[in-house]
Amino acid sequence: MQVAPAIRSSRLSRRATSLLLLAPTTLLYLTVYLGGLVMVLVMSIDVPPGVDSGGATLAHYRDVFGSAPIGAIVLRTLRDSLATVAGCLLLGVPVARYITASASRWKGIVLMAVLSPLMVSAIGRIFGWIALFGPGSVIADGLTALFGGKPTGLLYTEAAIIIGLTNLLLPFMVLSVASSRAHFEEDMSKAALSLGATPLSVLLQVELPLIFPGILSGALIVFSLSTTNFVTAALLGGSGRDLVGYEIYLDILVYFQQGRGAALAMLLLVVVVALMALAIQTGVQRHEVRDTAARTRGT
Amino acid sequence: MSETVAAGGPPEQEAFLQLRDVAKNLGGNPVLAGVSLDVFEGDLLGLLGPSGSGKTTLLNIIGGFTDLDAGSVRIAGQDLTALPPHRRDIGITFQKYALFPHLTVFDNIGFGLRQRKVAAPELRQRVGEMLAVLGLTGLAGRYPRSLSGGEQQRVALARALAVRPRLMLLDEPLANLDAALRQRVRFEIREILRSTGVTSIFVTHDQDEAFALCDRVAVLRGGRIQQIGTPAELIYQPANAFVARFIGSPNVFEASVQHYDAQTQSIRFVRDRFTGAACVRAPLTPGTRVEVFVRPDEVVIARADDVQPAKFRVKDWVHLVSGREAWIEGPITLRARLPSEATHLERGAAVIPSWRPERAHAFAIEPAPPAAATT
């Protein structure tokens, strides 16, 4: 076999080329991303100035847990993030269905419209919202007319944060669900209908299980982006309604409590990663159970 | 516009499925232009037509997925027009099967029974029956993606039949199977539909499939039914030029009428000094331009002798599974089929083609085709 070495070497060089192409990304992640994380980790266990104990310390973590408002801030962060996930699901799934339905004529335009919040600068968008939600705005007057109370509007409320985050993060949910809906064929819903399933049963028993992986990954992306977001929360939520992300920002850049901010950032990272791992595990398990069952029962 | 003839079935019997003047426009174009169709209980009807002929739209209208613009659909006397698809009790199999990928074979087949709230023991028993009938028993726990095309096809059939629908619609059930499997599966499908006795409509663009599977076939083109009949009727008594051209890939050539014989309902035609005979559906005056259709296996060729001057020569042979096909050239080019053991005719040999007049069909060439006939 004279050709074999040539084939092998071309195969090797192809693999080498593809590895080489990954190298810049790997380098970027190792230095900028992982390096940055290590710096935060070091900061979070660094000895505060003036204290002479040498080496590392868990003082910043104790500081975080010891401070009274932190529990409320974390709770509020989780609550607002979950509400944002729910909002994105309620709004995003129908949009994703529309975009992926074969008969839709405007799907290109709708997709562009849904993605457009990502293309507007954060500051511009948020100042627009302040004008929209703030006192004296149409929304404020409308709310007063409907429910009475002071014409302060939605600005500096949790509702403003959730609405803002939902708008900002909706594209991620739509894209994620739309990509998983590729497994769904319109003929499946026709088949289910012809078998006597009501339109609601078709949605719950056929379509939802099929787009579930997309819903899961969309929810994870939206959740992690809302827990770590701080610009939206800071400008729409105002003082007393800040989220973990904003608290970290304040600690590090305003109050110069780098250690405490870093510790808070590490804790947030751990919580988010743990929640994501749990969610992915649940999602993966569903598939694994199915596959194992298939293999054992099928033969 | 219901020029359709409901052939077959005892005339005193009320048709089980009745389509009356069903019309549908999509984007201003008539997809169905007045389709009337009777299907009798237990019938296996083929809906045959080229792509764009409206057969899928017709299927969607019967299934309830597309609204009709005019006309009516009735099953056993009940008007279906206002009934949503999930209450029509019509089983459908799809070209790409559309099995539920997240459910096992068992749960796919049991899906319809579950919607009907059938109790677990009965559900297990009925799914078990379907598995046995379709030879799927060993596959109950498998997922669709791990099945072969033929197995998926049978699961789709079992899923639709498990609820014992009053009507089955099969959309190109063999289109996604390879050629060898197709032969076997089409007889399996016929057997299963026969044994369940369910009235079925089978949509296809492939005439071999339609003829192998169905008792009667409706030929659809441009949103109109061209002819309904048994396979033999479509082959030997085509109603118009379209059916004659569509069935059996015939020789087609133009000629002009020389003489019309009212007694035998046939004509003699002439084309560049070549004359022949063909049967017609309506009287034609001499001089009328006609299109003549004759299938290769009806064309007999004989070696020319000195008495009859040869007008045709053998140009080439093609070997087919069913025999040899000769291309002969003369005033017209014809394909003629001979069994493989036939006398050898060398290339260039002088020959005379002939056929039985009733096996050739002539239709007057219309000045302009009707608008709806263009697909």
Side-chain angles (χ1 to χ4, degrees):
Chain A
M1 286 285 142
Q2 290 144 318
V3 283
I7 289 173
R8 190 182 304 157
S9 78
S10 87
R11 209 177 280 160
L12 272 178
S13 74
R14 225 178 304 146
R15 185 177 300 173
T17 312
S18 73
L19 280 178
L20 206 64
L21 288 172
L22 290 179
T25 314
T26 314
L27 196 68
L28 184 75
Y29 268 61
L30 283 178
T31 52
V32 175
Y33 174 62
L34 214 57
L37 275 183
V38 169
M39 294 303 287
V40 177
L41 181 67
V42 168
M43 249 192 278
S44 76
I45 54 173
D46 205 10
V47 179
V51 180
D52 188 29
S53 59
T57 173
L58 285 175
H60 300 308
Y61 288 90
R62 275 195 295 273
D63 192 14
V64 167
F65 286 112
S67 57
I70 196 65
I73 291 176
V74 168
L75 259 180
R76 189 160 51 234
T77 305
L78 292 179
R79 187 170 62 213
D80 291 0
S81 300
L82 286 175
T84 304
V85 169
C88 285
L89 271 176
L90 283 175
L91 301 183
V93 172
V95 177
R97 291 185 74 207
Y98 179 82
I99 290 173
T100 50
S102 52
S104 314
R105 294 171 66 189
W106 307 100
K107 46 183 149 188
I109 292 166
V110 171
L111 183 63
M112 281 303 293
V114 168
L115 294 185
S116 60
L118 294 178
M119 299 164 198
V120 181
S121 93
I123 287 297
R125 187 178 55 236
I126 288 167
F127 277 119
W129 283 339
I130 289 175
L132 196 63
F133 291 143
S137 68
V138 180
I139 289 182
D141 293 345
L143 283 173
T144 315
L146 281 174
F147 304 109
K150 277 182 267 177
T152 46
L154 284 176
L155 195 59
Y156 309 134
T157 63
E158 278 187 67
I161 298 177
I162 293 163
I163 292 172
L165 283 177
T166 301
N167 188 187
L168 177 65
L169 301 177
L170 191 61
F172 296 102
M173 182 63 87
V174 170
L175 287 180
S176 177
V177 174
S179 77
S180 77
R181 203 166 179 274
H183 300 287
F184 177 79
E185 295 163 23
E186 301 295 334
D187 277 352
M188 289 175 193
S189 86
K190 283 189 188 176
L193 286 171
S194 76
L195 291 165
T198 61
L200 182 67
S201 307
V202 176
L203 189 68
L204 296 180
Q205 295 177 34
V206 180
E207 190 170 342
L208 218 52
L210 286 177
I211 62 174
F212 182 76
I215 288 179
L216 186 68
S217 67
L220 286 175
I221 294 169
V222 170
F223 182 78
S224 62
L225 288 179
S226 21
T227 50
T228 50
N229 179 287
F230 77 93
V231 179
T232 307
L235 294 179
L236 293 181
S239 70
R241 272 166 297 274
D242 45 349
L243 304 185
V244 175
Y246 186 47
E247 188 76 6
I248 296 169
Y249 161 79
L250 289 178
D251 273 345
I252 294 180
L253 292 177
V254 179
Y255 304 147
F256 295 105
Q257 302 177 334
Q258 274 95 345
R260 184 174 181 273
L264 198 50
M266 290 316 292
L267 287 172
L268 181 61
L269 179 74
V270 169
V271 170
V272 170
V273 167
L275 282 174
M276 287 178 91
L278 189 71
I280 290 171
Q281 191 62 29
T282 330
V284 168
Q285 246 167 16
R286 282 164 52 102
H287 289 267
E288 270 176 2
V289 167
R290 280 205 267 134
D291 273 1
T292 324
R295 255 178 264 123
T296 47
R297 266 192 288 173
T299 45
Chain B
M1 267 300 240
S2 55
E3 71 256 76
T4 52
V5 201
E12 73 278 3
Q13 189 190 334
E14 170 92 324
F16 180 66
L17 171 70
Q18 294 182 325
L19 303 189
R20 287 293 173 269
D21 303 318
V22 170
K24 177 72 188 173
N25 287 288
L26 282 177
N29 298 315
V31 182
L32 295 174
V35 170
S36 295
L37 186 64
D38 279 344
V39 186
F40 294 90
E41 190 137 30
D43 248 9
L44 200 51
L45 179 91
L47 213 51
L48 176 65
S51 58
S53 59
K55 51 192 196 302
T56 305
T57 306
L58 195 57
L59 211 69
N60 277 328
I61 283 177
I62 299 172
F65 305 117
T66 302
D67 292 333
L68 38 73
D69 294 342
S72 67
V73 179
R74 303 171 82 84
I75 288 186
Q78 181 196 15
D79 191 341
L80 294 190
T81 317
L83 211 59
H86 66 276
R87 293 179 41 210
R88 291 198 174 194
D89 198 15
I90 295 175
I92 306 179
T93 67
F94 296 87
Q95 193 171 338
K96 292 180 187 158
Y97 315 131
L99 298 175
F100 307 129
H102 61 295
L103 298 179
T104 59
V105 168
F106 185 97
D107 290 334
N108 262 282
I109 298 174
F111 187 90
L113 297 172
R114 224 156 248 156
Q115 306 307 316
R116 285 164 171 73
K117 310 264 188 293
V118 170
E122 195 196 337
L123 184 137
R124 264 198 304 280
Q125 185 223 327
R126 280 176 66 176
V127 173
E129 275 170 23
M130 289 317 303
L131 288 167
V133 168
L134 285 140
L136 293 164
T137 307
L139 305 176
R142 295 266 288 273
Y143 283 87
R145 64 173 171 277
S146 69
L147 302 179
S148 72
E151 288 164 347
Q152 291 189 29
Q153 159 63 242
R154 278 183 281 158
V155 175
L157 205 57
R159 181 178 69 175
L161 287 171
V163 296
R164 296 175 190 153
R166 45 186 180 168
L167 179 70
M168 273 291 287
L169 305 175
L170 300 97
D171 188 6
E172 304 266 3
L174 306 173
N176 279 321
L177 300 175
D178 56 58
L181 199 59
R182 203 174 293 179
Q183 300 285 335
R184 208 187 75 213
V185 171
R186 73 180 174 205
F187 288 108
E188 279 178 7
I189 291 180
R190 190 182 157 86
E191 269 308 298
I192 289 157
L193 294 178
R194 276 263 163 282
S195 65
T196 54
V198 62
T199 311
S200 307
I201 298 180
F202 170 85
V203 166
T204 182
H205 64 275
D206 183 323
Q207 47 182 292
D208 285 338
E209 284 177 19
F211 288 1
L213 258 156
C214 305
D215 313 312
R216 290 196 305 140
V217 175
V219 179
L220 200 64
R221 179 225 187 181
R224 288 174 201 277
I225 290 184
Q226 305 292 313
Q227 186 173 5
I228 307 176
T230 63
E233 282 167 347
L234 296 179
I235 295 171
Y236 300 118
Q237 296 158 39
N240 56 36
F242 174 77
V243 176
R245 188 194 310 272
F246 189 59
I247 305 288
S249 62
N251 293 294
V252 185
F253 55 90
E254 288 184 20
S256 60
V257 177
Q258 218 175 22
H259 171 70
Y260 169 69
D261 182 354
Q263 205 171 14
T264 57
Q265 292 211 342
S266 65
I267 56 162
R268 282 211 73 78
F269 62 80
V270 62
R271 162 74 186 259
D272 300 338
R273 290 175 294 119
F274 170 66
T275 65
C279 62
V280 292
R281 305 273 290 195
L284 292 173
T285 52
T288 311
R289 297 289 294 162
V290 289
E291 243 180 336
V292 181
F293 302 88
V294 56
R295 283 181 303 108
D297 36 325
E298 305 289 358
V299 180
V300 178
I301 52 178
R303 200 179 276 276
D305 50 37
D306 299 334
V307 184
Q308 285 177 297
K311 298 198 187 86
F312 288 86
R313 290 190 182 277
V314 174
K315 194 180 179 223
D316 207 352
W317 290 106
V318 184
H319 283 271
L320 302 174
V321 180
S322 53
R324 284 180 302 169
E325 194 169 87
W327 287 77
I328 59 173
E329 257 187 350
I332 51 176
T333 302
L334 288 174
R335 286 170 295 132
R337 200 163 305 160
L338 287 183
S340 6
E341 68 269 20
T343 333
H344 178 68
L345 285 169
E346 69 283 0
R347 285 193 180 85
V351 290
I352 294 169
S354 64
W355 53 78
R356 290 160 62 196
E358 69 270 24
R359 291 299 159 84
H361 306 277
F363 296 94
I365 296 171
E366 318 245 329
T374 51
T375 46

